[in-house]
Amino acid sequence: MDPRWVPPSPPWYKVNVDAAVFDQLNSVGVGVLIRDHEGSVVATMSKHLPLPLGPLEAEGKAMDEAFTFAWDIGVRDVVFETDSRTVFDALTRTITPPIAIANLIDGIHQKLHFFRATCFLHVLRYSNKPAHTLARYAKGINNFVSWIEENPPIIESFVIQDDMYLSSS
């Protein structure tokens, strides 16, 4: 498994998803990063949810939020990437979803038909660092913030690093 972010083949988009749990606030943060086959940032989102979820539930909720965000942005051929092995295995039906995320996984499976094509990938945490940074950023916001066709300053260094790697390949 490559530790670096790898772009999808056209016409696919990659949606990197992660969550962060803020125990003291009884809330979670969601980070979503959508990029095209050239590695260009199409859209990003940080969302703060006042839900007292554990790590697994937060990862499942983050994937659910990513589906809605990707649909709203207008991407229809999507590779969803998560660093949660359990969420990945549940989405690919490799395992029966744990009861804590079963309803979320069922809801996501129902949303699959909205898209032309979808697939799921499990990635190393290192490859998902921009999405995790966006999830952590949500701690300081009230609801959500999104950036369309621009790199948020908080992840710009990661995107530049990926661009340099892609250029040298």
Side-chain angles (χ1 to χ4, degrees):
M1 192 180 307
D2 196 330
R4 296 167 293 226
W5 185 85
V6 178
S9 300
W12 290 80
Y13 292 83
K14 270 203 180 167
V15 177
N16 286 82
V17 182
D18 207 2
V21 176
F22 312 127
D23 287 324
Q24 294 89 349
L25 301 174
N26 283 325
S27 64
V28 298
V30 171
V32 181
L33 170 61
I34 302 174
R35 293 197 256 185
D36 66 13
H37 64 278
E38 294 178 339
S40 298
V41 174
V42 173
T44 59
M45 176 183 71
S46 288
K47 189 168 190 177
H48 188 230
L49 300 169
L51 301 171
L53 302 176
L56 179 59
E57 295 90 344
E59 292 287 349
K61 184 63 177 166
M63 185 60 74
D64 186 54
E65 292 287 336
F67 260 76
T68 301
F69 187 59
W71 176 259
D72 289 348
I73 293 303
V75 296
R76 300 297 182 256
D77 301 292
V78 187
V79 177
F80 290 93
E81 292 190 335
T82 177
D83 59 17
S84 170
R85 181 52 135 183
T86 303
V87 169
F88 168 78
D89 287 344
L91 288 168
T92 58
R93 296 189 165 120
T94 305
I95 63 168
T96 301
I99 196 73
I101 60 169
N103 287 338
L104 282 168
I105 298 300
D106 287 345
I108 291 167
H109 281 144
Q110 291 174 13
K111 294 176 186 178
L112 288 174
H113 75 277
F114 292 134
F115 295 86
R116 265 192 308 264
T118 57
C119 73
F120 301 100
L121 290 177
H122 177 254
V123 296
L124 298 173
R125 187 172 300 232
Y126 178 83
S127 303
N128 217 26
K129 214 165 197 175
H132 184 71
T133 301
L134 289 164
R136 298 285 312 154
Y137 180 76
K139 186 176 187 177
I141 60 176
N142 286 328
N143 190 5
F144 79 97
V145 62
S146 61
W147 296 265
I148 308 300
E149 295 182 1
E150 65 178 293
N151 297 336
I154 57 171
I155 65 163
E156 192 164 0
S157 64
F158 298 117
V159 174
I160 290 170
Q161 190 174 32
D162 289 342
D163 287 347
M164 289 186 332
Y165 168 72
L166 295 173
S167 298
S168 67
S169 301

